[in-house]
Amino acid sequence: QKEVEQDPGPLSVPEGAIVSLNCTYSNSAFQYFMWYRQYSRKGPELLMYTYSSGNKEDGRFTAQVDKSSKYISLFIRDSQPSDSATYLCAMSADYGGATNKLIFGTGTLLAVQP
Amino acid sequence: GAGVSQTPSNKVTEKGKYVELRCDPISGHTALYWYRQSLGQGPEFLIYFQGTGAADDSGLPNDRFFAVRPEGSVSTLKIQRTERGDSAVYLCASSLRTGGFDEQFFGPGTRLTVL
């Protein structure tokens, strides 16, 4: 069983929809929870991170972490065609305040239809 | 400023050959990471350098894979006796290590194809 599980999709939504992306994990040592966006033939870029449990909001994006359920989510409000990409969750233990190696999910391919 | 750069962007080789993949991190970043991303999968950790030394090489799949960072900046990932299963995108990332959350900035990757 993988340490991080993520539904690969693809997920297709109409423009303006609310998108919900999720990951589950098994390693209780994970403390940093990240969402990366990856466009085709590009490297991943960080969207948001959360330390331990809780919610974090940044514009149209909201990240949630529920450590008791080992479940994390990313919500995208008012989705735009430019949001079409692969969304990767990533996690790390706390190495004295740093992340060191990241453990990624499979990635969910999102298509926002105009 | 310039981001992480990787060369070559594409590499096609034959089974059994030796390849070198290069990573130029963001200037001043002391930490450097290599990941491998197979088709339809998320990146998989290979090795992490802090300065010149490999702080964690637990992700290297076998002894055909080796990486160096001799001057604490540029890194080279070396793969000996390549196999078809080595075909993947090899991603490099770097980070600043100032304390607190340590964002890893990724390069565009080198797409390796082993025929």
Side-chain angles (χ1 to χ4, degrees):
Chain A
Q1 184 186 1
K2 291 184 177 181
E3 283 188 281
V4 179
E5 298 279 358
Q6 183 176 10
D7 186 339
L11 183 61
S12 181
V13 300
E15 183 175 354
I18 296 174
V19 175
S20 172
L21 303 167
N22 313 290
C23 289
T24 59
Y25 64 96
S26 58
N27 190 341
S28 299
F30 289 149
Q31 291 282 18
Y32 287 101
F33 302 91
M34 291 145 278
W35 287 95
Y36 279 82
R37 179 173 59 195
Q38 186 175 28
Y39 291 112
S40 181
R41 296 190 174 258
K42 302 288 187 185
E45 58 176 343
L46 182 69
L47 277 176
M48 299 180 70
Y49 83 93
T50 307
Y51 182 80
S52 193
S53 280
N55 297 354
K56 193 170 188 177
E57 188 173 320
D58 184 2
R60 295 184 296 111
F61 299 87
T62 300
Q64 291 183 349
V65 175
D66 181 349
K67 291 191 73 180
S68 63
S69 302
K70 295 189 175 65
Y71 186 87
I72 72 169
S73 301
L74 177 71
F75 297 95
I76 307 174
R77 290 183 298 281
D78 188 25
S79 55
Q80 302 296 309
S82 59
D83 294 330
S84 298
T86 295
Y87 289 79
L88 296 152
C89 62
M91 308 182 189
S92 171
D94 184 348
Y95 298 90
T99 54
N100 288 12
K101 68 181 182 185
L102 302 182
I103 308 300
F104 283 86
T106 306
T108 299
L109 179 61
L110 172 67
V112 181
Q113 307 297 333
Chain B
V4 177
S5 62
Q6 293 185 246
T7 53
S9 54
N10 285 283
K11 176 71 177 178
V12 180
T13 191
E14 293 179 343
K15 180 176 178 297
K17 299 290 188 183
Y18 168 82
V19 296
E20 289 190 352
L21 312 179
R22 176 187 167 109
C23 172
D24 276 89
I26 294 171
S27 178
H29 281 195
T30 58
L32 186 145
Y33 314 79
W34 284 98
Y35 294 83
R36 176 170 69 174
Q37 187 172 24
S38 299
L39 191 63
Q41 301 296 314
E44 175 189 23
F45 171 80
L46 295 176
I47 187 170
Y48 149 58
F49 286 91
Q50 180 58 44
T52 60
D56 183 351
D57 64 357
S58 62
L60 294 178
N62 51 59
D63 61 7
R64 296 187 298 106
F65 288 75
F66 189 71
V68 295
R69 195 186 185 201
E71 297 177 357
S73 178
V74 170
S75 176
T76 305
L77 179 66
K78 309 180 181 196
I79 310 174
Q80 299 178 319
R81 304 183 303 281
T82 51
E83 300 177 357
R84 291 194 181 87
D86 298 335
S87 296
V89 175
Y90 288 81
L91 294 164
C92 176
S94 69
S95 69
L96 195 50
R97 289 284 181 173
T98 56
F101 178 69
D102 187 41
E103 180 178 353
Q104 295 184 25
F105 294 85
F106 283 82
T110 293
R111 185 172 300 271
L112 175 66
T113 303
V114 182
L115 301 177

